[in-house]
Amino acid sequence: MVETVPKWRAVVLDFLERAGWSAGQVFVATLLAGGVGAVGQLPWKQAATLAISAFLASLLLTGVQYLGKFTHLAFWPDLLIRLAKTFLSTLAGAMVAGVFDVTTFDWGSAFNVAALATLAALGKGLLAREPAAPNGQVPPGASPSTLPMGTYREAVDHAPPPPTIEATNPPEGTAAVPPSGTPPA
C-alpha cells in the first residue's frame, strides 16, 4: 500500500527535495570544476555559496512551476524540466554569488559548473526512476523524484481532494440505503 502525507507536507517535501538535490549537485560540480588538488585548495567557500544560491533559485523556479500548475507530468517531460531548472538555477546561483557584472563574469566556469550539475541531475533522475519496466518502457507512474511515490504524487497531482464523509452523507431525513427487504422507491 502506498502511504501518502497531507498535501501541504507533500508539496513542502517536493520543494525541499528539488532544491536540496540542486544544491548538492552544484556543490559537487563546483568542487569538480575547481580541478584536482589538495583538499585545502578546493574552492569550498565558492562551492557553498553557489550551492546556497542554487538552492534558493531552485525554490523560486519550483514555485513558478507550481503556480503555473505545470507539475503533473510524465517521466521524460518532468526530467527535462528538472534538467533545465538545474542548469538555470546553477547559472543564476553563479551570477548572484559573483555579484553579476557581464563584463567581468566568468561565463566559461559558470557553464562548466552548470553542465556538470545538469549531468548529475540526469544521473539522479534516471537512477530515481521507479519502478523499472522489464520491457524498457517508462511506466506511467515513474518519476525522477527521490521522494516516496505516494508523497510525490500527492504533491504534484492537481485533482481536487476527495470529498469528506460529511459531504457524502445524504440529506437529513433520507436514508442512504433502504432497509433490507424493502423495494427501492
Side-chain angles (χ1 to χ4, degrees):
M1 183 173 127
V2 176
E3 280 189 46
T4 59
V5 297
K7 178 80 170 176
W8 69 268
R9 187 170 178 212
V11 170
V12 168
L13 289 172
D14 189 42
F15 268 74
L16 292 175
E17 187 260 351
R18 292 172 191 241
W21 274 105
S22 289
Q25 291 157 350
V26 169
F27 184 80
V28 171
T30 305
L31 292 178
L32 291 176
V36 179
V39 173
Q41 295 175 344
L42 292 175
W44 296 103
K45 184 178 177 183
Q46 182 183 14
T49 304
L50 288 176
I52 291 167
S53 298
F55 182 89
L56 296 174
S58 179
L59 287 178
L60 178 69
L61 291 171
T62 301
V64 168
Q65 187 178 358
Y66 265 85
L67 288 174
K69 296 189 181 218
F70 202 54
T71 55
H72 187 62
L73 303 169
F75 176 78
W76 288 109
D78 191 358
L79 182 60
L80 289 174
I81 285 178
R82 286 171 181 255
L83 295 176
K85 284 175 31 187
T86 298
F87 189 82
L88 291 174
S89 67
T90 304
L91 279 181
M95 290 175 190
V96 170
V99 187
F100 186 66
D101 177 4
V102 76
T103 60
T104 61
F105 187 69
D106 187 0
W107 288 100
S109 294
F111 280 118
N112 287 342
V113 171
L116 286 171
T118 303
L119 284 173
L122 174 63
K124 189 274 301 181
L126 292 174
L127 289 172
R129 180 178 70 185
E130 61 179 343
N135 63 359
Q137 296 295 315
V138 177
S143 81
S145 176
T146 54
L147 289 174
M149 187 62 67
T151 303
Y152 177 71
R153 288 290 160 216
E154 180 68 24
V156 300
D157 286 347
H158 297 293
T164 62
I165 292 175
E166 292 79 27
T168 59
N169 284 340
E172 288 196 29
T174 60
V177 177
S180 66
T182 313

